[in-house]
Amino acid sequence: MYPEHTPHVPAQRAVNVHQPTPYPPAVAVPAPLAPVQPNTVPTVASIVLPDGRVVTGYAINPAQPEPLAAKPAVSRTAVNVALGGLGFLAVCGGLLLLTSFIAALTAFITQLITLAAVIFGGWIAVQIFSANGHQGGTTVNIRKAVIKRNKFYS
C-alpha cells in the first residue's frame, strides 16, 4: 500500500467535540381557574314561615334511587325447574330404552336356547330312530327287558 522507503507520519487532525445542550425540565404550571357560569340557573325558592319570616334558598332535588337491574323475562327458578324436568325425562327415557334392550336381549337368548334344544333333540332323534343305527354297538330292546333291582335281564 505504502512505498516501503517513504516515512509514514500520522496525520494530525483538528477534532471538535460537541457537547449536547440540555433542555430545562418541563414544569407543570396549573392553568388559572376561571369562574364558569352553570348551564342552567337554579331556581330560587322562598318559603314563608308561620311566624312571618321568609326563607329564601335554592331548591334541592331529592336524590333519585338507582334504577333496579332489569329482570330477565323468565325467572331463574322457572328455568331451573324446566331444566330439572328435562333431566328427569331424559333419565326416564334412558331407563325405558335400557329396559327394552334387556327384554330384547332376554328374548334373543331364549330363542337361541330353544334353537339349540331343537337342533340337539333332532340329532338325538335321528340317532335313535335311524334304521342303520350303530352297526358295532349293542342294541337293547327295552320292551322285552325285565328290570329287577336295577339290573337288566333279557
Side-chain angles (χ1 to χ4, degrees), residues 3-26:
E4 296 204 13
H5 298 296
T6 49
H8 176 65
V9 179
Q12 293 185 3
R13 297 183 205 162
V15 177
N16 293 334
V17 177
H18 296 284
Q19 296 293 333
T21 307
Y23 289 116

Side-chain angles (χ1 to χ4, degrees), residues 40-51:
T40 60
V41 177
T43 58
V44 177
S46 297
I47 300 174
V48 178
L49 296 176
D51 61 356

Side-chain angles (χ1 to χ4, degrees), residues 55-70:
V55 178
T56 304
Y58 294 106
I60 299 174
N61 294 332
Q64 296 293 329
E66 294 273 335
L68 296 175

Side-chain angles (χ1 to χ4, degrees), residues 13-148:
R13 297 183 205 162
V15 177
N16 293 334
V17 177
H18 296 284
Q19 296 293 333
T21 307
Y23 289 116
V27 177
V29 178
L33 297 175
V36 177
Q37 291 292 330
N39 293 338
T40 60
V41 177
T43 58
V44 177
S46 297
I47 300 174
V48 178
L49 296 176
D51 61 356
R53 292 181 294 166
V54 176
V55 178
T56 304
Y58 294 106
I60 299 174
N61 294 332
Q64 296 293 329
E66 294 273 335
L68 296 175
K71 290 186 177 181
V74 179
S75 69
R76 291 183 181 176
T77 305
V79 171
N80 289 340
V81 168
L83 289 177
L86 287 177
F88 180 74
L89 287 176
V91 168
C92 288
L95 289 176
L96 181 67
L97 288 176
L98 180 64
T99 306
S100 300
F101 175 74
I102 291 173
L105 187 63
T106 304
F108 179 69
I109 291 173
T110 304
Q111 287 179 357
L112 285 180
I113 291 172
T114 305
L115 180 65
V118 167
I119 290 174
F120 186 67
W123 180 77
I124 290 175
V126 166
Q127 295 300 319
I128 291 175
F129 295 118
S130 68
N132 296 338
H134 291 291
Q135 298 296 331
T138 303
T139 303
V140 178
N141 190 350
I142 296 178
R143 291 183 188 161
K144 293 180 181 178
V146 178
I147 302 172
K148 284 188 178 178

